[in-house]
Amino acid sequence: YCKDFNDDFMLCKSENRRPEYCLAEGRKVTRCTSDIIEKLRQNCAETFEKHWQCLELNNQDYHRCRKPERAFNSCVFQKLGLVKTIPGTPEGQVPIHEKKNPVFTSVQK
C-alpha cells in the first residue's frame, strides 16, 4: 500500500544523510501509514484485535495464530482490496499464510 512512498524515502535517505533533506518524503510515508491504519480500524478492527491478541498470548509465534491471521487477511483483501506478498516466495509455491496445514502446530507430536 505504501511501498512507493517507502521506496522514495529510502532512496532519499541513501542519497543524503542529513535528516532535514528527506522531510517531505517522510511526511508522505507517515500520511500513507496513518491512512491505512485508519482504514483497518474502520473495516477490520475485530479481526485485527483477535489476531493481535493471539500473538500476544502466544509470545508472537505466528504458527499458532494462523486461523485469526487468515480471518484478518480475508477482511483486508476483501474490504480494502490489498494483496499480501512475501518477498522471496518461490514461484508456483503456496505462501505460508495461505497454507491450510502448516508444518508447525500448537502441540508437537
Side-chain angles (χ1 to χ4, degrees):
Y1 187 80
C2 299
K3 183 181 183 316
D4 293 338
F5 295 120
N6 284 321
D7 289 347
D8 287 346
F9 178 70
M10 295 309 291
L11 179 63
C12 179
K13 294 284 285 181
S14 70
E15 291 173 350
N16 192 321
R17 290 289 187 194
R18 292 173 44 211
E20 66 274 8
Y21 184 76
C22 301
L23 288 175
E25 289 80 2
R27 280 189 212 96
K28 290 177 186 175
V29 171
T30 302
R31 274 191 230 112
C32 183
T33 51
S34 294
D35 181 51
I36 190 67
I37 289 169
E38 187 58 35
K39 287 180 180 180
L40 288 171
R41 281 188 190 141
Q42 291 170 356
N43 294 286
C44 302
E46 184 179 330
T47 55
F48 174 78
E49 183 72 21
K50 286 179 182 176
H51 181 50
W52 175 78
Q53 286 295 328
C54 180
L55 291 171
E56 282 293 303
L57 293 172
N58 289 289
N59 198 27
Q60 307 302 315
D61 285 337
Y62 286 103
H63 67 276
R64 293 183 178 178
C65 300
R66 292 296 178 203
K67 187 175 179 182
E69 179 188 11
R70 280 190 199 100
F72 177 59
N73 287 345
S74 293
C75 180
V76 171
F77 300 157
Q78 290 172 0
K79 293 185 178 178
L80 301 181
L82 297 178
V83 177
K84 181 176 181 177
T85 55
I86 300 174
T89 300
E91 288 287 324
Q93 212 173 26
V94 178
I96 186 69
H97 67 280
E98 293 179 0
K99 288 186 177 186
K100 299 295 179 204
N101 297 311
V103 174
F104 297 106
T105 62
S106 57
V107 178
Q108 296 292 322
K109 294 180 181 180

